[in-house]
């Protein structure tokens, strides 16, 4: 899209120095002639006008490039901000909100100077302290313009000054919380930990803590102080050598020792536990388990409309195509000015913000890549949209649960407009489009629900279901491509400028003409930034198996989790409840990945499904939830049958035991004492073994029906009838030999 320029685009001007100038496009006039830009790294200065043609010419000649990633983009939610940060943002926004709304006047020096003075005067009325000065207002304005024209751009950079987890330099002044009784000469202020102290700490940990003795950290600290922080030695009356310690205020505290240990050693849990407990114990107990719609619309992006409808088609599951999983919900996002369909989502979510987020995310997605996922090859010219608008109009169903702040989507600064309840006519454009979709699919799709559905004697259309959600989505995409490129808008009211340019009433033509002649509202953001702000959020927990999504038996891993040994620490009980809890974002359609937003909101960690959860790969969350629910249902159904089979098994076992008791009772010699019965068990076992070998021995090619052949019983009887002298008595010989050895 280098042929066009949009609000919030970052353009880098190449020069001979190593510090190229990066400017943000702040505003473009309706005639697409003048654009105001501002250096995003400037300490001083104000927005400057540039001719749009000049920028486009520089882009085509290679003197300027568009930057795909915004270095100031920051994804944060209010719950992650401190009260101090929120207060600062609210204060700054309250000061400049009236100024930044006056575009393009605020970019002109004469108006800006008088407007800023007026804001300062109004703010200071009745104030004797903490008065506002013009310098502060200009600082807020520069920050707002440089960092993406969002309210969150005004959040202070406290995150850059914390230094958490880093070794601080040391000087004369004592760091940390002052001691309560530091005025006492025996306590005083204490000392900072120096590099020499850290060397002693490392030796002490290796010598006294990381050993098979399993000393506590407190014991290791005491041993260290005894050996390395002494002024002298003495001998008691028994001749035992004892250390005379330095004054307490010259010795690092246990808290400092513990803090340093956590900072340097707990990052490698495996090494610490292995040194203390051994490799086997670690492997056993601690390793990881693996009016009109055009009103108030200047051009493309002035307003998008979003709505959802339930498709009149039943679909089947990708897991098992015999499962009918109901009717999908279609979300569509339309640009009001051009009637271009800019975003779509097909799923099972009812009208809610979760489904709407998927459609809005799709609106900012590269459509060539999106269509390719469904086997459709298109060029960029066939579906040009990958931008966010100035405003979005939806109703309560789609926007229910939306994380808006003051009618804006956080970080993206997209204004949200609600249609009144029971006023679908306010979104008549998109409501009419749904009837077009149903008209296209009705004649061709199996499982389509007709008007006679549920009438007595009518055909049950659910049994005709053949399409899964992905196949139905492919059909919807093809309908959208037809609408955008080939559907003539017979009722579109062109204005005089459009008539003069003879603009054809096709959505794609109207979009292109609007970008050239009425641009200024479309805004570009990094695709990842948009998705992180729009994708559903969910709570997750760190466990020994990995990162577990709440309510789902699915586990994930990322490079950070492996590097910092989250699983090992979770299994070893080294993570607190707050450390185990995570907030993740995910795409309903792709369970293969989830994402951990970073603390500064400008990056994320990508997590992958573990091998144990591989069966969920390449399926959407709807199918996964259906599978889990189906398996639970089958388990409950099988409980009754399994219980019955167990009862039958118990009865069979009891029957065998009863028969055994009867047989043993009938054949037992009542004259034999208990001692006689348990004596000679070894000889009796040998005799029993010999008898069983006769019946258990293998005989191949056995002729069972040959009457001339001897049966085992006949052979046994003949063997029993043989003279005793011809049949060696092995047991007798063994008994005789044993008795001879006893007699000596």
């Amino acid at each position: 899209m280098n042929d066009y320029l949009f609000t919030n685009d970052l353009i880098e001007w190449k020069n001979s120095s190593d510090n190229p100038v990066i400017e943000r496009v702040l505003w473009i006039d309706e005639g697409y002639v003048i654009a105001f830009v501002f250096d995003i790294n400037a300490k001083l200065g104000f927005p400057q006008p540039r001719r749009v043609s000049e920028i486009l010419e520089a882009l085509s000649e290679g003197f300027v490039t568009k930057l795909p990633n915004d270095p100031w983009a920051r994804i944060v939610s209010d719950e992650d901000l401190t009260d101090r940060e929120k207060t600062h943002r609210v204060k700054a926004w309250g000061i400049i909100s009236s100024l930044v709304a006056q575009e393009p006047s605020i970019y002109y020096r004469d108006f800006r100077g008088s407007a800023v003075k007026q804001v300062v005067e109004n703010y200071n009325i009745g104030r004797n302290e903490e008065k506002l000065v013009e310098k502060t207002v200009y600082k807020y304005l520069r920050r707002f313009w440089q960092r993406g024209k969002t309210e969150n751009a005004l959040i202070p950079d406290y995150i850059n000054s914390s230094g958490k987890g880093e070794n601080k330099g040391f000087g004369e002044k004592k760091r940390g919380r002052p001691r309560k009784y530091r005025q006492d000469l025996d306590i005083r202020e204490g000392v900072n930990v120096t590099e020499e102290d850290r060397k002693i700490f490392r030796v002490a940990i290796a010598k006294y803590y990381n050993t098979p003795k399993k000393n506590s950290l407190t014991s290791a600290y005491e041993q260290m102080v005894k050996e390395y922080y002494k002024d002298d030695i003495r001998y008691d009356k028994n001749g035992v050598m004892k250390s005379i310690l330095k004054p307490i205020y010259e010795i690092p505290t246990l808290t400092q020792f513990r803090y340093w240990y956590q900072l340097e050693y707990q990052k490698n849990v495996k090494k610490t536990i292995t040194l203390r407990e051994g490799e086997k114990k670690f492997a056993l107990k601690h390793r990881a388990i693996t009016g009109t719609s055009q009103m108030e619309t200047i051009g493309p992006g002035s307003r998008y409309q979003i709505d959802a409808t339930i498709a009149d088609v039943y679909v089947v599951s990708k897991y098992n195509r015999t499962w009918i999983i109901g009717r999908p919900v279609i979300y569509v996002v339309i640009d009001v000015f051009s009637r271009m369909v800019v975003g779509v989502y097909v799923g099972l979510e009812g009208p809610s913000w979760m489904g709407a987020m998927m459609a809005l995310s799709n609106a900012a997605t590269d459509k060539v890549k999106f269509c390719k996922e469904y086997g459709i090859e298109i060029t960029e010219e066939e579906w040009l949209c990958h931008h966010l608008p100035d405003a979005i109009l939806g109703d309560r169903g789609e926007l229910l649960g939306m994380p808006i702040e003051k009618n804006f989507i956080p970080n993206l600064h997209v204004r949200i407009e609600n249609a009144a309840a029971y006023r679908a006519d306010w979104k008549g454009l998109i409501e009419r489009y749904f009837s077009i979709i149903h008209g296209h699919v009705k004649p061709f799709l199996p499982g389509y629900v007709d008007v006679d559905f549920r009438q007595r004697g009518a055909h049950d259309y659910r049994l005709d279901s053949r399409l899964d959600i992905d196949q139905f989505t492919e059909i919807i995409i093809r309908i959208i491509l037809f609408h955008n490129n080939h559907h003539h808008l017979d009722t579109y009211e062109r204005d005089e400028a459009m008539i003069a340019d003879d603009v054809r009433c096709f959505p794609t033509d109207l979009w292109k003409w609007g970008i050239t002649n009425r641009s200024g509202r479309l805004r570009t953001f990094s695709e990842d930034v948009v998705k992180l702000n729009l994708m559903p959020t969910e709570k997750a927990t760190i466990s020994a198996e990995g990162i577990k999504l709440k309510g789902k038996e699915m586990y994930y891993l990322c490079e950070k989790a492996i590097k910092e040994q989250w699983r090992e620490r979770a299994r070893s009980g080294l993570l607190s409840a707050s450390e185990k809890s995570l907030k993740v974002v995910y795409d309903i359609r792709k369970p293969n990945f989830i994402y951990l937003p970073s603390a500064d909101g400008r990056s994320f960690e990508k997590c992958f499904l573990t091998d144990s959860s591989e069966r969920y790969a390449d399926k959407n969350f709807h199918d996964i939830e259906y599978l889990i629910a189906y398996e639970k249902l089958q388990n409950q159904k099988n409980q009754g049958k399994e219980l019955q089979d167990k009862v039958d098994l118990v009865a069979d076992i009891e029957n065998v035991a009863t028969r055994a008791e009867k047989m043993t009772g009938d054949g037992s010699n009542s004259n034999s004492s208990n001692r006689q019965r348990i004596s000679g068990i070894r000889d009796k076992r040998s005799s029993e073994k010999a008898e069983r070998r006769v019946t258990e021995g293998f005989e191949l090619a056995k002729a069972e029906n040959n009457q001339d052949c001897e049966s085992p019983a006949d052979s046994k009887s003949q063997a029993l009838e043989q003279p005793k002298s011809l049949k060696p008595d092995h047991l007798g010989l063994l008994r005789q030999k044993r008795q001879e050895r006893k007699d000596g």
Side-chain angles (χ1 to χ4, degrees):
M1 294 293 291
N2 284 341
D3 296 336
Y4 302 103
L5 199 64
F6 303 102
T7 302
N8 230 29
D9 272 352
L10 291 180
I11 52 177
E12 182 180 54
W13 295 85
K14 299 178 181 178
N15 52 39
S16 57
S17 67
D18 294 332
N19 297 316
V21 176
I22 302 174
E23 294 178 335
R24 185 183 300 280
V25 179
L26 301 179
W27 180 84
I28 304 173
D29 72 342
E30 295 181 17
Y32 208 59
V33 177
I34 298 296
F36 275 92
V37 299
F38 191 38
D39 186 346
I40 66 171
N41 297 312
K43 301 293 184 183
L44 299 172
F46 296 100
Q48 299 296 322
R50 285 188 183 274
R51 297 187 68 84
V52 174
S53 58
E54 173 194 353
I55 299 174
L56 294 178
E57 184 178 349
L59 281 169
S60 63
E61 294 178 356
F63 298 121
V64 171
T65 57
K66 280 189 181 182
L67 297 185
N69 298 317
D70 189 342
W72 288 117
R74 183 176 178 186
I75 304 101
V76 292
S77 61
D78 265 21
E79 62 187 34
D80 296 327
L81 298 177
T82 64
D83 291 339
R84 184 183 177 191
E85 289 172 324
K86 293 177 185 177
T87 301
H88 190 284
R89 181 184 62 181
V90 170
K91 176 185 175 182
W93 179 246
I95 291 172
I96 69 168
S97 58
S98 61
L99 296 173
V100 298
Q102 301 185 63
E103 293 181 307
S105 301
I106 191 63
Y107 302 127
Y108 292 98
R109 178 179 178 180
D110 294 342
F111 175 84
R112 182 172 58 243
S114 59
V116 169
K117 286 181 180 179
Q118 186 64 45
V119 166
V120 171
E121 290 175 3
N122 293 339
Y123 184 88
N124 290 333
I125 293 176
R127 292 178 182 267
N128 296 322
E129 298 179 352
E130 297 183 358
K131 289 189 175 183
L132 183 65
V133 295
E134 294 180 18
K135 182 179 179 181
T136 302
V137 179
Y138 288 126
K139 182 180 73 171
Y140 291 158
L141 286 172
R142 290 189 187 98
R143 177 182 283 264
F144 179 79
W145 290 328
Q146 289 176 330
R147 302 192 179 193
K149 297 179 67 177
T150 71
E151 192 173 338
N152 281 346
L154 302 172
I155 298 172
D157 294 329
Y158 294 145
I159 191 169
N160 296 332
S161 59
S162 64
K164 183 178 180 181
E166 300 176 0
N167 288 327
K168 282 67 172 185
F170 55 90
E172 295 295 329
K173 186 177 180 180
K174 173 68 172 66
R175 296 189 306 270
R177 179 171 58 88
R179 292 183 176 180
K180 185 175 182 180
Y181 303 107
R182 61 186 180 279
Q183 305 301 332
D184 193 303
L185 294 179
D186 292 331
I187 298 176
R188 303 191 188 183
E189 191 68 61
V191 295
N192 289 322
V193 175
T194 65
E195 187 57 40
E196 186 65 28
D197 291 321
R198 295 189 186 104
K199 290 179 181 178
I200 295 174
F201 289 176
R202 293 187 185 99
V203 173
I205 289 294
K207 192 173 181 180
Y208 302 119
Y209 186 73
N210 285 343
T211 68
K213 291 184 178 181
K214 301 181 184 179
N215 293 326
S216 67
L217 206 60
T218 302
S219 297
Y221 170 77
E222 292 167 350
Q223 293 276 9
M224 176 192 71
V225 170
K226 170 179 170 290
E227 184 167 348
Y228 296 102
Y229 290 93
K230 59 188 177 184
D231 273 341
D232 203 349
I233 58 172
R234 66 181 178 85
Y235 293 90
D236 64 9
K237 60 182 180 180
N238 297 319
V240 178
M241 185 179 71
K242 296 186 177 180
S243 300
I244 301 175
L245 300 181
K246 293 180 178 181
I248 189 65
Y249 50 80
E250 294 182 9
I251 302 174
T253 65
L254 174 61
T255 301
Q256 290 173 313
F257 181 68
R258 190 186 304 276
Y259 171 80
W260 174 87
Y261 167 76
Q262 292 174 345
L263 184 66
E264 186 152 323
Y265 274 83
Q266 281 206 339
K267 293 178 181 178
N268 195 336
V269 178
K270 180 179 180 180
K271 179 180 178 181
T272 300
I273 296 177
T274 301
L275 289 172
R276 287 170 61 83
E277 301 188 19
E279 188 75 36
K280 290 184 178 179
K281 280 286 185 69
F282 174 82
L284 179 64
K285 295 184 177 181
H286 305 286
R287 66 177 174 82
I289 301 175
T290 27
T292 64
S293 295
Q294 288 173 257
M295 289 180 63
E296 300 180 11
T297 57
I298 299 172
S302 292
R303 179 180 288 107
Y304 285 174
Q305 287 185 3
I306 183 171
D307 203 357
T309 187
I310 300 175
D312 290 336
V313 176
Y314 278 86
V315 294
V316 299
S317 170
K318 286 181 66 177
Y319 267 113
N320 186 332
R321 301 192 75 87
T322 63
W323 294 349
I324 300 172
I325 59 175
R327 296 156 63 182
V329 179
I330 308 172
Y331 290 83
V332 172
V333 185
I334 290 183
D335 174 59
V336 173
F337 175 83
S338 64
R339 308 294 199 270
M340 175 87 86
V341 177
V342 295
V344 65
Y345 168 65
V346 180
L348 299 180
E349 290 293 333
S352 66
W353 177 240
M354 182 174 290
M357 280 193 294
M358 306 304 295
L360 290 175
S361 174
N362 180 260
T365 297
D366 179 2
K367 299 305 190 296
V368 175
K369 184 168 61 175
F370 169 68
C371 290
K372 194 171 184 179
E373 293 177 5
Y374 294 90
I376 302 174
E377 298 288 340
I378 66 169
T379 63
E380 187 176 8
E381 291 294 315
E382 292 179 82
W383 202 350
L384 295 164
C385 321
H386 54 84
H387 314 85
L388 287 182
D390 185 57
I392 295 173
L393 175 65
D395 61 26
R396 295 180 180 181
E398 287 75 51
L399 306 181
L400 183 64
M402 177 178 58
I404 61 173
E405 297 169 8
K406 298 181 181 178
N407 295 325
F408 286 90
I409 300 176
N411 303 303
L412 302 179
H413 208 67
V414 175
R415 189 174 73 257
I416 299 298
E417 299 174 347
N418 275 320
Y422 310 110
R423 289 300 305 274
D425 56 302
W426 285 17
K427 295 194 285 82
L429 173 63
I430 202 164
E431 301 285 354
R432 288 193 297 273
Y433 184 70
F434 286 135
S435 64
I436 295 174
I437 291 178
H438 290 145
H440 279 296
V441 301
K442 177 179 178 179
F444 309 107
L445 299 191
Y448 183 86
V449 181
D450 214 334
V451 292
D452 62 349
F453 182 57
R454 293 192 181 279
Q455 292 182 7
R456 180 176 295 182
H459 176 65
D460 192 342
Y461 299 99
R462 293 173 295 186
L463 301 177
D464 296 333
S465 304
R466 297 293 183 273
L467 300 171
D468 59 38
I469 287 183
D470 287 349
Q471 292 166 335
F472 184 67
T473 302
E474 180 185 347
I475 292 172
I476 296 299
I477 291 173
R478 294 188 182 278
I479 293 173
I480 290 172
L481 291 173
F482 171 82
H483 168 84
N484 287 346
N485 296 282
H486 307 293
H487 176 61
H488 188 271
L489 305 173
D490 296 335
T491 59
Y492 189 92
E493 297 180 3
R494 297 184 297 171
D495 60 24
E496 293 181 1
M498 293 179 182
I499 295 172
D501 290 341
D502 195 21
V503 182
R504 300 188 305 167
C505 292
F506 294 98
T508 299
D509 292 337
L510 293 169
W511 176 275
K512 291 179 180 178
W513 184 89
I515 288 177
T516 304
N517 298 278
R518 301 284 180 83
S519 185
R521 297 299 183 181
L522 287 172
R523 292 182 292 168
T524 57
F525 285 90
S526 163
E527 191 172 317
D528 288 341
V529 170
V530 173
K531 289 179 178 179
L532 277 177
N533 279 278
L534 295 179
M535 284 194 295
T537 61
E538 184 62 88
K539 290 184 178 180
T541 306
I542 300 174
S543 69
E545 291 85 359
I547 302 169
K548 180 181 180 294
L549 272 182
K550 181 181 179 182
K552 300 177 178 66
E553 293 299 324
M554 302 171 66
Y555 296 92
Y556 294 84
L557 276 179
C558 61
E559 292 184 7
K560 184 177 182 180
I562 296 172
K563 183 178 179 180
E564 297 183 2
Q565 302 182 25
W566 288 2
R567 294 176 295 170
E568 291 86 345
R569 293 167 66 186
R571 193 179 184 194
S572 304
L574 297 177
L575 293 177
S576 64
S578 60
E579 289 175 323
K580 286 184 179 180
S581 180
L582 300 172
K583 184 180 74 173
V584 301
V585 297
Y586 64 97
D587 188 332
I588 292 175
R589 300 163 298 183
K590 289 188 180 295
N592 299 29
F593 314 106
I594 60 174
Y595 308 90
L596 298 175
S598 63
D600 63 3
R602 294 175 184 168
S603 60
F604 58 88
E605 191 80 24
K606 189 175 184 179
C607 304
F608 305 83
L609 272 174
T610 61
D611 292 340
S612 62
S613 301
E614 193 63 30
R615 70 172 183 148
Y616 302 120
D618 301 324
K619 303 295 188 297
N620 62 56
F621 275 99
H622 303 308
D623 283 337
I624 292 170
E625 289 172 356
Y626 189 92
L627 172 66
I628 293 173
Y630 180 80
E631 289 178 343
K632 287 182 179 179
L633 175 63
Q634 295 304 313
N635 290 339
Q636 291 182 8
K637 284 184 176 180
N638 290 331
Q639 284 179 359
K641 185 177 183 303
E642 184 177 352
L643 183 60
Q644 179 63 57
D645 292 340
K646 281 186 178 179
V647 171
D648 294 343
L649 174 62
V650 170
D652 291 337
I653 294 173
E654 289 177 342
N655 179 50
V656 175
T658 301
R659 284 192 287 112
E661 287 181 1
K662 289 181 179 180
M663 294 173 66
T664 304
D666 293 339
S668 63
N669 186 357
S670 58
N671 296 325
S672 300
S673 65
N674 291 339
R675 181 177 180 82
Q676 289 174 330
R677 293 189 64 193
I678 63 176
S679 64
I681 289 179
R682 183 179 299 175
D683 295 338
K684 295 171 185 174
R685 177 185 179 88
S686 299
S687 178
E688 180 79 8
K689 186 190 298 183
E691 294 294 334
R692 292 190 65 82
R693 283 176 175 174
V694 175
T695 58
E696 292 176 352
F698 291 158
E699 179 183 349
L700 305 183
K702 185 176 181 180
E704 296 181 358
N705 297 325
N706 191 344
Q707 296 180 357
D708 296 334
C709 295
E710 293 181 336
S711 67
D714 294 337
S715 299
K716 183 178 179 181
S717 62
Q718 290 180 13
L720 293 173
E721 293 172 0
Q722 289 180 357
K724 230 177 182 183
S725 59
L726 299 178
K727 183 179 180 183
D729 186 1
H730 299 291
L731 292 177
L733 291 173
L734 288 172
R735 293 192 194 98
Q736 182 179 347
K737 290 290 185 182
R738 189 183 301 117
Q739 189 62 39
E740 290 175 354
R741 285 196 297 270
K742 288 181 180 179
D743 296 341

